[in-house]
Amino acid sequence: MNLVPSQRAIENAVGAAPHPILRLSAVGKSFGDRSVFASVNLDVTSGSAIALIGANGAGKSTLLNSIVRLVEPTTGRIFALGKDVTAMNAADLKAFRSRVGVVFQRHNLVGRLSALTNVVHGVQSRAHGPRTWLQSLAHEDVRQEALDCLAAVGLEDRAFQRADSLSGGQSQRVAIARMLMQRPELVLADEPDASLDPRSGEEIMSLLYRLTKDKGLTLVVISHRVEHTIHYSDRIIGLENGGISLDVASRDTSPAQLLAFFGTAD
């Protein structure tokens, strides 16, 4: 008699482990003879917030961009939102990217246009044509959704202000609202606090973390500010020497431990 329970029996008893929304399998990237990272393996579960840290040159931004193939990985495979990203053709990749919100250091707003119009541009992930170019041309439901996205980041009262007249923190909030307008399932943020003063940076990280949690989104974020890394993530992944050398729950670490990872602690 076989007394060892089958895998199906175990899953029925305790519930199957959640399938990762993002999986990196032996992902590597080289530029010529220079290897940025060699074999990165990582599973990210749906709804989690992951902080990616590492010294300058460790490959954090390169790895983040590889997920949406803004940078083509040299080796390995990337699975996200149930798809093999590395196997996608141009049309499939475009459709996949529409489901991923990306927040960069640079806000990439159209300065001469209003905050509201910049947010309306987020609908281009699922619609096309002149009605996606300006808020005055947009369908009423699209315009209202854009206003709701601005309200979510606390800038509904700045809807008709030119983007180039906004402060740095306000501009980043508009960029986040535009990202929300995409209705993404996965959010990648590359140092969204880097170009901001400490107070504005804190507000942006708090806002991004809260919004993704409230909407049940998955977040992968890069930040060089140790306190932000701990406070606004569930799990911290450290890149070093071409791979992952740190993987710890945020609640189980401290600023001193993270500084030690960078080799700067006393």
Side-chain angles (χ1 to χ4, degrees):
M1 179 182 296
N2 183 9
L3 298 180
V4 179
S6 68
Q7 182 63 33
R8 176 170 293 182
I10 294 173
E11 291 179 354
N12 288 339
V14 301
H19 190 75
I21 194 170
L22 173 64
R23 169 169 286 172
L24 309 182
S25 179
V27 175
K29 179 60 185 179
S30 298
F31 294 99
D33 295 332
R34 183 176 70 89
S35 175
V36 182
F37 43 82
S39 184
V40 173
N41 296 283
L42 177 65
D43 280 2
V44 176
T45 56
S46 179
S48 61
I50 306 297
L52 187 61
I53 67 171
N56 289 334
K60 304 181 298 299
S61 295
T62 300
L63 184 62
L64 206 68
N65 287 329
S66 295
I67 294 171
V68 286
R69 283 178 53 192
L70 293 175
V71 171
E72 291 288 349
T74 305
T75 58
R77 300 177 73 183
I78 298 171
F79 302 88
L81 306 180
K83 306 287 185 180
D84 184 347
V85 181
T86 43
M88 289 178 178
N89 59 31
D92 291 339
L93 184 59
K94 182 179 180 181
F96 165 72
R97 286 174 175 167
S98 73
R99 301 168 64 193
V100 181
V102 182
V103 181
F104 296 103
Q105 294 180 35
R106 295 179 63 87
H107 312 140
N108 299 314
L109 303 180
V110 182
R112 61 184 176 82
L113 299 179
S114 69
L116 181 57
T117 288
N118 274 277
V119 176
V120 166
H121 289 171
V123 82
Q124 292 174 0
S125 65
R126 58 183 188 276
H128 305 282
R131 288 186 178 273
T132 69
W133 298 348
L134 297 169
Q135 62 86 14
S136 57
L137 300 177
H139 290 289
E140 180 56 33
D141 59 335
V142 170
R143 191 168 179 272
Q144 185 57 55
E145 184 177 354
L147 284 168
D148 291 342
C149 290
L150 277 174
V153 301
L155 284 182
E156 189 174 21
D157 61 333
R158 305 283 178 151
F160 301 104
Q161 189 169 327
R162 279 178 58 123
D164 57 11
S165 70
L166 299 171
S167 69
Q170 289 170 339
S171 295
Q172 190 63 294
R173 285 173 180 265
V174 173
I176 292 172
R178 181 184 57 196
M179 176 271 292
L180 293 176
M181 191 69 184
Q182 285 183 240
R183 302 178 186 170
E185 299 164 62
L186 171 65
V187 177
L188 309 177
D190 189 353
E191 294 189 67
D193 54 347
S195 62
L196 305 176
D197 63 77
R199 180 176 177 178
S200 296
E202 178 85 19
E203 290 173 350
I204 288 299
M205 290 293 289
S206 175
L207 175 69
L208 189 60
Y209 182 73
R210 175 177 57 80
L211 286 173
T212 52
K213 285 296 183 182
D214 288 349
K215 295 180 179 295
L217 306 177
T218 303
L219 172 66
V220 182
V221 61
I222 298 172
S223 176
H224 279 297
R225 300 184 184 180
V226 170
E227 293 80 4
H228 294 178
T229 296
I230 294 172
H231 294 158
Y232 304 118
S233 69
D234 306 318
R235 178 181 169 202
I236 299 171
I237 302 296
L239 282 182
E240 186 180 41
N241 299 324
I244 292 175
S245 62
L246 177 71
D247 186 345
V248 62
S250 304
R251 65 177 180 273
D252 294 333
T253 191
S254 67
Q257 290 173 311
L258 292 188
L259 289 173
F261 169 77
F262 289 104
T264 56
D266 292 336

